[in-house]
Amino acid sequence: MRPDLAPQTTQLPKHTSPTVKPPQIHFEDIARQAGLTALNVYGGDTHKEFIIETTGNGAIIFDYDNDGWSDIYLPNGSTIEGLPDNKAPTAHLYHNNHDGTFTDVTARAGLMHSGWGQGGCVGDFDNDGYLDLLVTYWGQNTLYRNNGDGTFTDVTAKAGLKTARDEWSTGCSFVDYDRDGKVDIFLVRYVDFSYDSVPRPGQGRWCQWKGINVMCGPRGLKPGVNALYHNNGDGTFSDVSQKSGIRNASACYGFTSLTEDFDHDGWPDIYVACDSTASLLYHNNHNGTFAEIGKKAGVAYNEDGSEQAGMGLAADDFTHSGFQDIVKTNFSDDTPTLYRNRGENNFDDVTYSAGLGKIKSWLGWGVQFYDFDNSGWPDLLIANGHVYPEVDGKALGTSYREPKAAYYNLRDGTFANITAEAGSALSESHSGRGMALGDLFNDGHQEALVSNMNEPPSLYYNTAPIENWMSLQLIGVKSNRAALGAVVTLEHGSDKHEKEVRSGDGYISQSDLRLHFGLGKSTRAEKIVIRWPSGLVETLSDLPANQYYVVREGGGVDKSKTRGPSSVHIERPNANAH
């Protein structure tokens, strides 16, 4: 192990307060006023005949045209009955107008594709400086090469990513697993499904829930098989799932993938949230292969040793220990799971001691570590929604559409549920799915974009005052161009907060690749240590707060790209209605 990657103490810094009082946080859903009005179509809204109607879509935030403003891509679904081609739902690409609004440019960009879309992830697979887009489907996935002129080209077949038969892919991540400077592709698969291969609601053991006849699965269905594709460097990929050891893992109904160097050995690992089966942690062996160590590391089950129905994932250093912790969302009648990273592939389930074990009636999907007020301590936002519309009106203590859950980080290893105090928008009921995070308006606020079943999306914006912050966009030179896998540690004295540039998280979603650090009342970032995927360690010092920085590998801050916040002002919805 390199000295700079040695395990660090996981004790909280002694100079921090043991607890803090949550400040005012007030979220508004500004999706409509921002122009995000397209309907998500995903099977039936009052009855689900098949499991394909339940999983919903991810949400994707990325700057596709390199104008310094993050854009939005929302996958879409279909219906069991199907629709004529001219009426079939398509995904939507929204271009950021730099004024608090977005314009739908889907057709112009060449992204009018229909079918049972799932999630997506971004990465620069050809290292040309433009982010490419991978969208997962039940059927055939689609890899869109970014042409650099606002348009995309479907290169799936050319790249060797078409499969011999249709598959149900869910989450995905671009990840340079062998550190050769070219990003590879990891695909998560859910179940082996076709309409004629499953029983109908109520017709089998796994087709009832609390006495209600419901769609069947995933238990009782054949699990999908996760896949890894190696980037050949010529625009094509080779399936290395077998020889890399990915296929050696136990069966998994897979949803979200999360890449991270969890043990600080300099190589990216991959964690997968699995539904109704043990979740998986693929540890990188540094030689092109992986070993699945989920049970040994303590992240396969909850603290009781029980399998959970894992949906969404996020990672951040919520205790400022210098290690990335994991939060996972789960099914109804369960809690989310919070795993504290102790280093050396050793995790503890701290769900209950952290205060996340009190709500069990909601079914969690999208999740993000989200610093609501730029305090520098990551909070949590969870999107909820049931899979069974049939639960409504049955007095089961749950519902198909459910509120969000917001937890404020008290800086002592615990969180406070502030949902009721954080604005009525969070308490509005939706059947939420994917969640992505990004500073969409370049104003120092991060927003949470959530995909809702059979409704337009939600965009949550905190209108309350925020503290200082900084944003880092990393550009690889020897490393992959998008710097996926780069680990950044912000240091103030003995206090350390680690983040990683990551492809894929939330729930089959993609967040802004820029790293956003809350600085609290600090007016400068004292020390920033960047561990590039190539192995280069670069240190930046004394950077002023409230700035957007671009850092090129080996070259430090590109001062010509440094800029302050925009002048965009977000009005509260209906603020001028009176």
Side-chain angles (χ1 to χ4, degrees):
M1 180 182 291
R2 300 204 319 261
D4 59 289
L5 297 181
Q8 302 157 349
T9 177
T10 59
Q11 297 299 313
L12 285 171
K14 293 180 181 179
H15 62 273
T16 59
S17 302
T19 57
V20 295
K21 182 180 179 180
Q24 180 188 7
I25 306 292
H26 187 93
F27 282 105
E28 298 277 3
D29 183 353
I30 62 168
R32 179 170 293 278
Q33 72 186 57
L36 307 177
T37 58
L39 179 69
N40 173 274
V41 177
Y42 220 90
D45 196 39
T46 58
H47 172 69
K48 304 285 189 186
E49 188 78 7
F50 295 98
I51 193 171
I52 185 61
E53 300 178 79
T54 66
T55 55
N57 298 115
I60 297 166
I61 294 176
F62 75 126
D63 181 5
Y64 76 89
D65 56 354
N66 286 355
D67 65 355
W69 295 73
S70 294
D71 310 293
I72 288 171
Y73 177 87
L74 292 169
N76 213 330
S78 187
T79 64
I80 297 298
E81 302 78 20
L83 293 164
D85 288 344
N86 63 341
K87 293 184 179 179
T90 73
H92 293 272
L93 178 68
Y94 289 99
H95 180 259
N96 194 323
N97 297 328
H98 310 181
D99 62 0
T101 68
F102 294 83
T103 297
D104 191 328
V105 295
T106 315
R108 188 192 321 163
L111 297 176
M112 298 288 287
H113 188 86
S114 59
W116 285 101
Q118 300 292 294
C121 54
V122 302
D124 187 355
F125 78 86
D126 53 3
N127 285 332
D128 67 350
Y130 288 89
L131 291 173
D132 308 300
L133 173 65
L134 176 63
V135 185
T136 57
Y137 282 85
W138 171 48
Q140 294 288 334
N141 300 328
T142 306
L143 176 63
Y144 292 106
R145 180 182 180 273
N146 190 330
N147 298 322
D149 60 359
T151 68
F152 292 80
T153 299
D154 180 347
V155 296
T156 314
K158 181 181 177 182
L161 295 178
K162 281 200 175 295
T163 52
R165 64 186 186 91
D166 286 351
E167 302 275 4
W168 187 348
S169 299
T170 45
C172 64
S173 296
F174 285 93
V175 54
D176 185 5
Y177 74 91
D178 56 356
R179 292 176 47 187
D180 65 354
K182 301 181 293 290
V183 288
D184 314 293
I185 293 173
F186 180 78
L187 288 170
V188 185
R189 301 232 168 91
Y190 190 41
V191 298
D192 188 351
F193 172 82
S194 63
Y195 292 132
D196 58 3
S197 68
V198 297
R200 296 298 187 268
Q203 292 184 352
R205 178 185 177 189
W206 307 114
C207 310
Q208 287 192 332
W209 191 74
K210 295 189 176 183
I212 304 172
N213 291 340
V214 296
M215 62 79 192
C216 305
R219 286 194 172 97
L221 305 181
K222 185 178 178 181
V225 179
N226 298 333
L228 181 66
Y229 289 86
H230 180 260
N231 189 332
N232 299 322
D234 59 0
T236 68
F237 292 81
S238 296
D239 188 340
V240 294
S241 308
Q242 190 67 50
K243 72 177 184 179
S244 66
I246 293 297
R247 286 183 179 266
N248 294 339
S250 56
C252 163
Y253 298 117
F255 273 134
T256 306
S257 55
L258 185 77
T259 61
E260 174 68 37
D261 179 11
F262 289 112
D263 59 349
H264 285 185
D265 65 356
W267 295 78
D269 311 305
I270 306 170
Y271 183 58
V272 180
C274 300
D275 182 3
S276 307
T277 46
S279 291
L280 306 175
L281 176 57
Y282 296 101
H283 180 255
N284 195 319
N285 294 328
H286 313 176
N287 61 1
T289 70
F290 290 83
E292 201 286 300
I293 63 167
K295 298 180 181 66
K296 178 182 176 183
V299 292
Y301 310 114
N302 66 9
E303 65 178 349
D304 296 328
S306 299
E307 290 178 344
Q308 296 177 290
M311 309 295 185
L313 292 172
D316 203 337
D317 179 9
F318 85 92
T319 61
H320 286 199
S321 68
F323 284 94
Q324 296 272 297
D325 310 297
I326 299 171
V327 64
K328 177 169 65 74
T329 52
N330 299 298
F331 201 78
S332 181
D333 294 331
D334 199 355
T335 69
T337 308
L338 183 63
Y339 294 110
R340 176 91 176 266
N341 187 348
R342 302 289 184 178
E344 300 181 344
N345 294 315
N346 179 22
F347 292 80
D348 292 335
D349 181 345
V350 295
T351 305
Y352 283 89
S353 62
L356 301 183
K358 297 176 181 177
I359 299 176
K360 296 185 178 182
S361 57
W362 298 340
L363 198 165
W365 296 88
V367 59
Q368 291 290 346
F369 279 106
Y370 177 2
D371 185 353
F372 301 148
D373 59 347
N374 289 336
S375 68
W377 294 78
D379 313 301
L380 282 169
L381 185 65
I382 299 175
N384 302 295
H386 220 287
V387 294
Y388 308 130
E390 295 85 356
V391 301
D392 286 345
K394 302 295 194 303
L396 294 174
T398 190
S399 59
Y400 180 56
R401 289 178 169 82
E402 298 174 345
K404 306 295 177 288
Y407 294 93
Y408 193 81
N409 190 333
L410 299 180
R411 310 181 196 180
D412 61 353
T414 70
F415 293 83
N417 186 341
I418 63 166
T419 310
E421 296 80 42
S424 60
L426 296 185
S427 296
E428 293 173 0
S429 293
H430 305 280
S431 195
R433 293 297 186 265
M435 182 189 294
L437 209 59
D439 181 355
L440 292 168
F441 308 119
N442 287 343
D443 62 353
H445 293 73
Q446 285 190 296
E447 292 79 47
L449 174 68
V450 178
S451 173
N452 296 316
M453 295 283 275
N454 295 303
E455 291 183 86
S458 295
L459 183 62
Y460 295 102
Y461 182 92
N462 178 21
T463 62
I466 60 171
E467 297 191 286
N468 295 322
W469 52 272
M470 68 174 301
S471 175
L472 295 175
Q473 179 186 354
L474 304 187
I475 298 178
V477 177
K478 185 177 179 182
S479 303
N480 69 88
R481 185 67 177 266
L484 299 177
V487 177
V488 177
T489 305
L490 173 67
E491 301 184 13
H492 280 278
S494 63
D495 186 66
K496 297 182 178 183
H497 183 191
E498 178 185 290
K499 289 180 178 284
E500 181 165 323
V501 183
R502 181 179 296 118
S503 173
D505 69 352
Y507 164 71
I508 60 175
S509 294
Q510 172 71 60
S511 293
D512 190 346
L513 292 182
R514 296 180 297 181
L515 296 182
H516 183 99
F517 283 94
L519 297 177
K521 292 180 171 48
S522 299
T523 58
R524 309 183 86 77
E526 188 176 298
K527 183 180 179 182
I528 298 164
V529 180
I530 304 172
R531 302 198 302 267
W532 296 90
S534 66
L536 175 69
V537 178
E538 198 166 357
T539 301
L540 309 174
S541 301
D542 204 30
L543 294 185
N546 305 326
Q547 299 285 305
Y548 294 88
Y549 295 99
V550 174
V551 182
R552 297 182 187 277
E553 183 178 11
V557 172
D558 183 343
K559 294 182 179 178
S560 69
K561 300 288 188 182
T562 300
R563 53 193 169 81
S566 74
S567 58
V568 173
H569 177 69
I570 302 300
E571 294 284 349
R572 291 174 65 164
N574 303 316
N576 300 317
H578 302 293

